Amino acid sequence: MTDEKQIISHLYQDIENGQWVIQTNDEHQKGVAELAAEFSGKFGLHTWGYVLGMLHDKGKERNAFQQYIRRVNGLPIEDCRHYQEHNHAFVGGILAIDLLGKNVLNLMANQIISHHTGLHDYVDAENILEGSLPLEVNSENIGIDTGLLLEELRNSPFSKHGVGMEHFHHLSRMLFSCLVDADRLDTERFMNVESWRKRGSASTLSDLLPKLESFLYKLQSGADDTDVNRIRRKVSERCCKTSSGGRGFYSLTVPTGGGKTLSSLLWAMKHAVHHSMRRIIIAIPYTSIIVQTAGVLKSIFGEENVLEHHSGFNPEEIIDEEVREKAILAAENWDYPIIVTTNVQLFESMFSNRPSVCRKLHNIVDSVIILDEVQTLPTDFLQPIVDAMKAYHKLFGVSFLFTTASQPVLSGTIEGTNPNAEIDGIEHVDEIIPEDYALHDRLRRVNLVIDNVGKTYDEMAAELTKHDKVLCIVNTRKDAKELYDRLPDEGVKMHLSRMMCPAHISRAISRIKALLENGSQPVVRVIATQLVEAGVDIDFPIVFRQEAGLDSVLQAAGRCNREGKHAMGQTFVFSLSAQNRIPFGSIAAANNARLNLSADSDWFAPSVMTEYFKQLYSRKNTFDEKNINHYLYKPEELCFEKASELFRLIDDDGMNLIVNWENSFELVEKLKETGCSYSLMKQLAQFTVNIHRSDFNKLKESGAVDEIVEGVYVAPDKAQYDDSTGLSLENHWAEEILTI
């Protein structure tokens, strides 16, 4: 039996002896305080983390909470009349304001009142904090040294580097992260010690660097002495030489085939070890590249040292049980030496207000972030993204490495059409590869031919049919389907678009690679959307690219003569304007920026790419389409929830639909029987297609869609999904009725 005088924070019943094991509130708050102080100490605010921990659960001293926790665990209580009014987080927030004043609303109080619900907008936070302290809460002898707190803040990077107040919300969110993770970890340490012991990795980056160096040595010593391999070695050597530079912003501009992936990792690891940094985070725009990159890294460092965190990865598929459990735990807070994730996951976390998402942020402190294919950063969010990178560098000691074959302009003043939309970019970005390396010339394997005369679908299909092995990349799913249908049924013709589910796309890409590598099929023609444009390792002698921005065109050219098997590959840029299929939206702006460049430009030259991005930016009316900075600029009026809601790098208007392909409906039946689970939904994600809400509604109205559990939809008819082109947006039953 428990002592009625004990202030309980957590408890469980020992399965062996039936005795209740209690963690008192004092024990929990002390444990959280020590962990939060360790985390916040990494950016100079040790005491702030400690005080957050000591105050966050003061509300559990309320009689109502103690009645509640005893009641739900089946323990006797004195009075059950008020046990439902057991909210506790608001108490520590009120106490923080009473002790330190309203200036700590978003340095301490908001974090405390929000540690279960998510950071509040300032109006909601103020309303919560208008309450009074419950009489039974002990507000004396808390031992908070306000002078020490203020001195620590004055000596922190926030004050030392003269960081603008526009970065205050990142500091606020980082303190929130420290508290949330510390709270979850201390609770886990008490409630589930086995999980607690499995967290983290025993390896440091210093331990892992020799593995990378050994791998590269074997790779280079076994490679043929070709021009390409000599260039790759030179790039790698240059990365070694520059890795000891100060923490800051760097770029590695290397054309396709120059060994960018491994060289960038070598630079990042040596830079991190030199500065005693804790982890490397590789952020990639496309899941196809993530899977490829993560596979390489796991083969070098071991699966136990590389966390793959994105929607397409299911850790349940890891064979080793201990590694599997560690990966699931690490996805919660990124406590691994090497993280491979998406740009969306990284930047949306930086602007989130949710505890489960923000929990990982403090583990970004003292990291090297590699932003792969950095040219894909959405210009509509460029202002808050650039501001976030500057804040994470100045406040949290992060170094950024931008890697691409098409380096955008991120430094200096970035100007749009609206003078009020100018961005104060990154002060200085160090380019690792000197201009005199002239890699765009030395690695040139493709001739680029641009034809602005409009074509029809039939004309383009006829042009593609002239080539036996050809890849054609178009801007939309509709264009892909129309061109695919017009190709003759000879040899192998294949379609790739997001109308196909991820499992189908993966299988199709593997088949294309195999056909090209073994040469068993003389005719291989592929029509694809931009999903193959970056990072997908396919190699065609001829590539066609529908008109788009120069960065997209060069990415498409990277799928042409990729391995240098031909003297020179050919990439053709074409227009479908004769079919009234002209670019729209962001693709139109990018295409117009390309069209405004000189027709005799050396399209592969870095200077031309710089001019292209200036042209592209000059067409922007704003670099903060959702006005994120408006909600986060004033420290006393921060709107965390609103900003989190608006900062969505991918338009959330689509609807996910599970298709009937291969064994997907075995999983659907399991879902019906057992309900949703993390593992099952991860598996089903491989059989899901995202479509516009309007298309979804049409299919639903026609009876082609069923809701199997709340919010989960399937297209049960196998005929609705084509083995070649994926999901059909037409109800085939309706078409058959019309035919009859």
Side-chain angles (χ1 to χ4, degrees):
M1 191 61 65
T2 62
D3 183 346
E4 289 292 326
K5 294 180 181 179
Q6 285 183 305
I7 304 297
I8 300 172
S9 185
H10 302 102
L11 75 164
Y12 65 87
Q13 197 168 20
D14 191 302
I15 58 174
E16 293 185 359
N17 58 31
Q19 294 295 311
W20 288 99
V21 183
I22 289 175
Q23 182 186 42
T24 68
N25 206 38
D26 283 345
E27 290 168 343
H28 176 56
Q29 292 195 135
K30 184 83 182 304
V32 173
E34 290 173 349
L35 284 171
E38 178 188 338
F39 300 154
S40 61
K42 296 289 194 307
F43 51 94
L45 292 181
H46 176 278
T47 308
W48 287 84
Y50 189 85
V51 173
L52 280 167
M54 290 303 293
L55 292 181
H56 84 289
D57 269 359
K58 285 290 287 183
K60 288 184 176 180
E61 295 176 8
R62 292 185 69 200
N63 292 337
F65 181 85
Q66 291 302 307
Q67 301 274 8
Y68 163 77
I69 196 169
R70 284 175 164 82
R71 172 69 177 262
V72 297
N73 285 284
L75 299 178
I77 58 176
E78 296 175 354
D79 182 0
C80 66
R81 286 175 299 174
H82 303 296
Y83 86 90
Q84 289 182 329
E85 302 170 1
H86 60 273
N87 294 336
H88 67 278
F90 74 96
V91 173
I94 293 172
L95 193 55
I97 295 293
D98 286 351
L99 292 169
L100 299 163
K102 287 190 175 181
N103 287 336
V104 298
L105 171 63
N106 284 309
L107 279 177
M108 191 168 290
N110 201 345
Q111 286 80 354
I112 292 170
I113 66 174
S114 306
H115 71 273
H116 291 297
T117 57
L119 284 166
H120 291 80
D121 292 347
Y122 76 99
V123 172
D124 297 328
E126 287 175 345
N127 289 337
I128 292 170
L129 293 166
E130 283 179 355
S132 56
L133 283 174
L135 294 176
E136 63 269 33
V137 172
N138 178 16
S139 60
E140 298 179 2
N141 302 319
I142 295 177
I144 295 177
D145 187 337
T146 56
L148 180 60
L149 284 168
L150 294 175
E151 182 182 356
E152 194 173 75
L153 186 60
R154 281 193 297 268
N155 291 326
S156 72
F158 188 80
S159 299
K160 276 186 175 180
H161 296 308
V163 177
M165 297 306 284
E166 71 272 17
H167 298 322
F168 183 86
H169 67 98
H170 288 296
L171 179 65
S172 184
R173 204 180 280 102
M174 189 63 77
L175 284 167
F176 180 59
S177 171
C178 294
L179 173 60
V180 168
D181 195 33
D183 184 31
R184 305 295 192 271
L185 289 174
D186 186 73
T187 301
E188 182 179 80
R189 178 165 52 186
F190 174 73
M191 299 291 292
N192 188 353
V193 70
E194 288 302 314
S195 290
W196 163 263
R197 287 172 178 162
K198 288 173 183 172
R199 284 195 175 272
S201 170
S203 300
T204 66
L205 293 179
S206 295
D207 299 327
L208 299 179
L209 177 57
K211 292 187 176 185
L212 177 60
E213 291 174 327
S214 174
F215 177 85
L216 289 173
Y217 175 78
K218 291 176 183 176
L219 187 68
Q220 292 171 357
S221 60
D224 295 334
D225 187 24
T226 63
D227 285 343
V228 170
N229 285 330
R230 282 194 292 272
I231 290 169
R232 288 172 178 168
R233 281 196 293 272
K234 193 171 183 180
V235 169
S236 180
E237 289 165 2
R238 180 68 184 172
C239 284
C240 285
K241 185 177 180 180
T242 59
S243 62
S244 59
R247 300 190 193 206
F249 294 90
Y250 295 83
S251 64
L252 180 64
T253 308
V254 177
T256 300
K260 172 169 57 73
T261 300
L262 291 175
S263 292
S264 64
L265 181 62
L266 179 63
W267 182 93
M269 292 201 78
K270 291 183 77 69
H271 182 78
V273 170
H274 180 79
H275 291 287
S276 301
M277 299 166 86
R278 298 187 297 154
R279 60 183 44 83
I280 292 169
I281 299 167
I282 305 171
I284 298 173
Y286 309 111
T287 54
S288 56
I289 315 177
I290 292 178
V291 172
Q292 186 175 293
T293 302
V296 172
L297 299 187
K298 288 175 183 179
S299 70
I300 298 171
F301 303 111
E303 202 161 29
E304 70 278 8
N305 292 310
V306 179
L307 174 66
E308 194 175 344
H309 192 193
H310 57 89
S311 60
F313 177 66
N314 181 13
E316 295 289 349
E317 296 173 355
I318 298 174
I319 296 173
D320 186 289
E321 181 180 355
E322 185 172 347
V323 174
R324 179 172 65 247
E325 292 179 11
K326 285 170 70 71
I328 292 170
L329 293 168
E332 297 174 349
N333 69 350
W334 284 9
D335 188 13
Y336 251 40
I338 300 172
I339 314 291
V340 188
T341 189
T342 62
N343 290 346
V344 172
Q345 174 80 239
L346 176 67
F347 288 112
E348 288 191 1
S349 295
M350 289 180 178
F351 286 88
S352 179
N353 74 315
R354 292 183 293 147
S356 60
V357 179
C358 289
R359 182 178 176 182
K360 68 175 78 75
L361 292 180
H362 74 89
N363 276 325
I364 300 178
V365 175
D366 277 342
S367 294
V368 180
I369 296 179
I370 300 175
L371 282 182
D372 193 32
E373 305 297 352
V374 67
Q375 79 283 352
T376 62
L377 291 176
T379 52
D380 285 344
F381 292 89
L382 200 59
Q383 173 95 58
I385 286 174
V386 168
D387 286 347
M389 290 192 290
K390 289 160 66 176
Y392 270 72
H393 166 56
K394 289 185 176 180
L395 293 177
F396 310 123
V398 174
S399 283
F400 288 87
L401 176 62
F402 307 135
T403 66
T404 180
S406 312
Q407 191 65 243
V409 178
L410 294 176
S411 58
T413 301
I414 301 172
E415 299 176 306
T417 55
N418 179 358
N420 294 323
E422 287 185 358
I423 299 179
D424 182 16
I426 296 163
E427 186 175 340
H428 182 69
V429 179
D430 284 309
E431 174 56 57
I432 292 173
I433 304 299
E435 284 186 27
D436 60 15
Y437 276 37
L439 295 185
H440 69 286
D441 271 334
R442 298 179 63 187
L443 288 170
R444 194 186 300 264
R445 299 190 295 275
V446 178
N447 283 326
L448 187 60
V449 180
I450 297 176
D451 183 1
N452 294 319
V453 177
K455 302 288 194 304
T456 64
Y457 287 135
D458 288 330
E459 288 171 334
M460 277 311 303
E463 186 65 32
L464 294 172
T465 306
K466 295 176 183 177
H467 307 281
D468 289 342
K469 287 188 171 63
V470 61
L471 167 67
C472 178
I473 303 175
V474 293
N475 292 330
T476 70
R477 301 174 183 184
K478 173 180 171 57
D479 293 330
K481 178 73 163 56
E482 293 285 352
L483 278 176
Y484 174 84
D485 287 343
R486 285 167 169 78
L487 287 181
D489 292 322
E490 60 180 4
V492 174
K493 71 169 185 176
M494 295 187 69
H495 166 279
L496 285 169
S497 83
R498 295 293 179 195
M499 294 307 289
M500 299 156 65
C501 63
H504 192 178
I505 291 171
S506 179
R507 180 182 296 183
I509 289 174
S510 295
R511 186 185 177 207
I512 292 167
K513 287 182 180 181
L515 288 170
L516 293 173
E517 287 171 3
N518 63 30
S520 60
Q521 178 53 249
V523 177
V524 181
R525 300 186 182 114
V526 177
I527 308 294
T529 58
Q530 301 101 303
L531 69 88
V532 300
E533 204 162 78
V536 177
D537 249 347
I538 51 179
D539 184 5
F540 281 85
I542 304 292
V543 170
F544 283 78
R545 178 59 167 98
Q546 187 181 357
E547 58 182 342
L550 181 59
D551 53 334
S552 293
V553 167
L554 294 192
Q555 289 292 343
R559 309 315 110 198
C560 180
N561 197 21
R562 188 176 180 85
E563 300 301 325
K565 295 176 182 177
H566 310 276
M568 193 62 68
Q570 298 289 329
T571 294
F572 301 92
V573 178
F574 66 94
S575 168
L576 286 172
S577 58
Q579 192 73 48
N580 293 320
R581 298 294 293 172
I582 58 176
F584 59 92
S586 60
I587 297 178
N591 189 51
N592 289 334
R594 177 185 63 80
L595 290 171
N596 209 48
L597 299 172
S598 173
D600 61 355
S601 296
D602 178 356
W603 302 112
F604 296 92
S607 59
V608 175
M609 184 55 62
T610 298
E611 180 57 29
Y612 161 74
F613 274 104
K614 288 181 178 178
Q615 288 285 343
L616 178 62
Y617 295 157
S618 72
R619 286 163 169 74
K620 294 293 295 181
N621 189 49
T622 177
F623 296 100
D624 186 6
E625 183 71 30
K626 301 295 184 180
N627 211 11
I628 303 294
N629 279 7
H630 169 75
Y631 296 102
L632 296 173
Y633 190 81
K634 295 181 180 179
E636 68 277 8
E637 297 179 6
L638 297 179
C639 294
F640 291 104
E641 187 173 2
K642 184 65 175 177
S644 177
E645 174 190 318
L646 292 173
F647 194 91
R648 291 286 182 270
L649 298 187
I650 296 177
D651 188 358
D652 206 17
D653 187 48
M655 294 291 292
N656 288 322
L657 189 60
I658 299 168
V659 297
N660 193 342
W661 186 74
E662 297 290 331
N663 69 329
S664 65
F665 261 61
E666 294 176 15
L667 298 172
V668 168
E669 289 304 316
K670 188 174 180 181
L671 179 63
K672 289 178 182 177
E673 294 171 10
T674 64
C676 294
S677 69
Y678 176 82
S679 174
L680 187 54
M681 296 312 292
K682 278 285 190 181
Q683 292 176 72
L684 281 167
Q686 291 298 307
F687 299 97
T688 299
V689 174
N690 186 273
I691 59 175
H692 291 297
R693 192 175 293 271
S694 57
D695 292 324
F696 173 85
N697 290 337
K698 288 177 185 176
L699 286 174
K700 196 167 188 289
E701 289 165 9
S702 68
V705 171
D706 292 339
E707 186 174 19
I708 49 172
V709 298
E710 186 178 357
V712 180
Y713 300 93
V714 300
D717 193 344
K718 266 187 172 294
Q720 200 69 46
Y721 192 86
D722 187 87
D723 277 338
S724 297
T725 56
L727 178 67
S728 170
L729 295 178
E730 303 296 331
N731 185 331
H732 78 98
W733 288 112
E735 289 179 356
E736 288 184 16
I737 292 169
L738 288 172
T739 301
I740 293 170

